[in-house]
Amino acid sequence: MRRPPNRPQKSVKPSAPSPRPVAEIFAGLLFAEVPPPVVQRLQTMNAVLADNMRGLDDVGRNNMREALARWSCRLPEGLESWNHAFVAAMAHVHEAKFAKLLRQLPDPPPEPPGLWETLATQATVPDETGLAACLILYDLGCARAFLAFKRSA
């Protein structure tokens, strides 16, 4: 049996690990900021809240709107417009330009002292007031995750 000729071995360098996609990094930061019970509650309520809260009856929708209005008046001016810009950037999360869009966002307005803690306590209430607190916490968590992302970049 004939042996193949000796060939010089190529040196094999271990490849560098590929960088984590920005969307994955941001998701990790977001889940580090938003309390797990809030994420869980919002996931279970996704269908109820979709399409202008179609899963709630008229009384529930009204209660939810009132609760959101009560919490929203405690939010800093400019947070709503920042959230709109953030949501617009998130619409491109699976595109190459997502990182650029995220880095171009301005900083959100500062979070009012004590609001997070108040909302976290209220989020445990099983009615619409607690659900509204969860939604506001999620928005504030997005802002916190964004600031953490910007610091890490």
Side-chain angles (χ1 to χ4, degrees), residues 8-21:
Q9 293 289 327
K10 291 183 181 177
S11 69
V12 178
K13 292 182 182 177
S15 62
S18 58
R20 285 178 45 202

Side-chain angles (χ1 to χ4, degrees), residues 38 43 47 63 68 86 90 93 106 108 123 125:
V38 169
Q43 284 176 338
N63 290 345
L68 284 169
F86 173 76
M90 290 302 289
V93 72
V125 176

Side-chain angles (χ1 to χ4, degrees), residues 69-152:
R70 278 194 307 275
W71 289 122
S72 295
C73 71
R74 298 189 57 193
L75 296 173
E77 188 176 317
L79 183 62
E80 185 176 356
S81 61
W82 183 86
N83 277 336
H84 288 298
F86 173 76
V87 168
M90 290 302 289
H92 302 280
V93 72
H94 298 294
E95 298 173 25
K97 66 182 177 180
F98 175 64
K100 181 180 178 186
L101 291 172
L102 204 56
R103 287 184 183 96
Q104 289 175 343
L105 283 176
D107 286 352
E111 188 178 294
L115 181 60
W116 182 273
E117 293 77 14
T118 302
L119 288 166
T121 300
Q122 192 65 44
T124 62
V125 176
D127 66 7
E128 291 87 1
T129 303
L131 184 55
C134 287
L135 288 169
I136 303 292
L137 277 171
Y138 186 81
D139 283 349
L140 292 175
C142 289
R144 286 180 169 197
F146 170 77
L147 291 171
F149 173 78
K150 234 177 143 177
R151 281 191 302 270
S152 71

Side-chain angles (χ1 to χ4, degrees), residues 33-84:
E33 291 296 339
V34 180
V38 169
V39 172
Q40 182 181 9
R41 185 169 184 189
L42 291 177
Q43 284 176 338
T44 62
M45 297 301 293
N46 191 34
V48 171
L49 296 173
D51 295 330
N52 202 22
M53 300 181 270
R54 75 172 188 269
L56 296 174
D57 61 20
D58 289 340
V59 171
R61 256 189 309 281
N62 188 50
N63 290 345
M64 186 68 176
R65 287 185 181 120
E66 287 178 4
L68 284 169
R70 278 194 307 275
W71 289 122
S72 295
C73 71
R74 298 189 57 193
L75 296 173
E77 188 176 317
L79 183 62
E80 185 176 356
S81 61
W82 183 86
N83 277 336
H84 288 298

